[in-house]
Amino acid sequence: ALRVLGFAFKIIKDTKNIEEKNLVWLGLEAMIDPPREEVREALNECKKAGIRVIMLTGDNPLTARAIARDIGLESKGVIEGNELDMIDNNELEKRLYSGINIFARISPFHKLRILEILKKKNRVAMTGDGVNDALALKKADVGIAMGIRGTDVAREASDIILLDDNFATIKSAIQEGRRIFDNIRKFINYLFVCNFAEIFVLFFATLFLTLREPILLPIQILWINLLTDGLPALALGLDPARKDIMSIPPRKMKEAIINKKLWWLIIVIGIIKTLILFATFFLTLSRGVDTARTTLFTGFVLYEFVRIGSIRSQEKLNWFSNKWLILALFLSIVLQLVIIYTPASRLFHITSISFYEWIILIGGMVIGYVSALVITKIIVKYIKS
């Protein structure tokens, strides 16, 4: 399955009338452009991640089969360009979805035809390096050109340029894209639950509690938002990819960032958190409104950090895998303690809290953490995206 050239020579004196006859045979030369060693592993990871790889080549079918065998690309046969010309799109679609992943001796228009059929039901990324790939690169959802061997036309038509011309880099880019998307959802999950509870505590307290002052003062609300919506929320965006990120199937084409599961998580955990916050307030109210307000104020900060813990536990991420998150949480807790137990408490209209209040807060943290894990398991199991 190598590319093979035959060589022969002839000594001539008249360069004007050259005939390729009576040549002296030298031999054959076999050539191959071998796939990189890491391609097989990358292809296997793509398969686990639900990513289908299809070979579209102008090479001989034997060469295409040999390369596919070397890299572990499975296919239920090979279709050549002249065969494509004899079948319609319906038949081509049937063959594509029957498991044929190798197309040989095909033209740029064949590539475009295959691409348009695949785009009906899938997101399609197209790779190429030549002028003849430009059309398909432009029409694909994501066009990927080679940076070293790629032509200027191919690079101009593409969305992404691989600087190392390595297929494994595409796999790494997909993994990074999934990590970023996961972290965006994580960020939204955390902030929406926290703000949901904050809004509803203030809303119901205003409607039903007959307090001389609001349950939380404006400066306290601003401080809560500064501590929880600031550094910890930003640090979540730096979380590494979870270990199984390349073992889950791709998202549906029209799936929103906030899907049905995430909405349920936000609403249910938000309600539970609201109840825990009210319980924290009423269990410490006998110690005075100022003490209860301070405990509630601290509870908002601590319970929101517990939500981060439950999210990371759900994704099986080690706490020490994100040093920025550890630093952000530590700094936020220190700042909260500073304003409680220093003269800064006057500025925030709060008072020091005792061992009893800390027991209530720790109990609320445990209940919040355990309930979030249980609710998450139930929603993930029974709610479809």
Side-chain angles (χ1 to χ4, degrees), residues 151-197:
T151 61
D152 290 340
V153 174
R155 290 198 292 265
E156 286 293 328
S158 66
D159 302 294
I160 297 172
I161 298 173
L162 295 184
L163 298 180
D164 58 1
D165 287 10
N166 192 343
F167 177 84
T169 304
I170 300 175
K171 181 270 299 181
S172 300
I174 293 169
Q175 181 175 343
E176 182 65 10
R178 290 186 173 192
R179 183 189 75 85
I180 292 169
F181 189 87
D182 268 8
N183 286 350
I184 291 171
R185 271 195 172 161
K186 213 181 297 180
F187 184 89
I188 291 171
N189 185 351
Y190 167 67
L191 287 183
F192 274 41
V193 168
C194 296
N195 287 291
F196 180 99

Side-chain angles (χ1 to χ4, degrees), residues 70-86:
D70 287 347
I71 63 176
L73 177 62
E74 298 175 358
S75 179
K76 294 182 179 178
V78 179
I79 295 181
E80 294 186 54
N82 56 5
E83 189 178 351
L84 281 177
D85 293 330
M86 295 185 289

Side-chain angles (χ1 to χ4, degrees), residues 242 260-262 264-265 314 372-385:
R242 46 186 167 147
K260 193 184 293 184
K261 282 183 181 179
L262 189 51
W264 274 96
L265 283 171
Q314 171 194 343
L373 292 182
V374 173
I375 290 165
T376 299
K377 285 184 179 180
I378 293 171
I379 289 174
V380 168
K381 185 175 181 180
Y382 294 105
I383 302 295
K384 295 182 180 180
S385 299

